[in-house]
């Protein structure tokens, strides 16, 4: 997604960003959108549009990098 400021991202872009971050950090997929930068204002899956859910899953599927937690 690059270094785009979240305040210029639309909801679909934010959903894709969350999907990408969930995959990167090894979290289970759970479609949602952060409307702010710290996760205080969250849109849950039941309040997301079909397009926003698709964007989340696209972000999830396309994230190829993984967080190295240094456990090895």
């Amino acid at each position: 997604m690059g270094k785009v400021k979240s305040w210029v991202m639309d909801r679909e872009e934010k959903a894709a960003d969350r999907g990408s971050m969930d995959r990167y950090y090894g979290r289970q997929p759970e479609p949602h959108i952060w409307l702010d930068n710290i996760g205080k204002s969250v849109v849950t899956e039941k309040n997301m549009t079909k397009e926003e859910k698709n964007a989340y899953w696209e972000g999830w599927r396309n994230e190829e990098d993984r967080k190295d937690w240094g456990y090895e």
Side-chain angles (χ1 to χ4, degrees), residues 7-65:
W7 52 272
V8 296
M9 295 168 63
D10 65 21
R11 282 173 54 128
E12 284 182 37
E13 291 170 322
K14 289 180 181 189
D17 184 55
R18 287 290 93 209
S20 174
M21 290 298 100
D22 284 351
R23 183 80 180 255
Y24 175 81
Y25 286 107
R27 295 186 288 251
Q28 293 297 314
E30 184 179 327
H32 64 286
I33 303 169
W34 282 12
L35 298 178
D36 57 10
N37 291 332
I38 56 176
K40 286 188 123 184
S41 181
V42 178
V43 177
T44 60
E45 182 175 11
K46 75 175 195 166
N47 295 317
M48 292 170 67
T49 66
K50 180 180 177 183
E51 292 79 14
E52 291 166 349
K53 291 175 192 175
N54 289 341
Y56 175 91
W57 286 108
E58 183 177 342
W60 172 267
R61 284 189 303 272
N62 291 328
E63 180 57 57
E64 296 178 358
D65 199 10

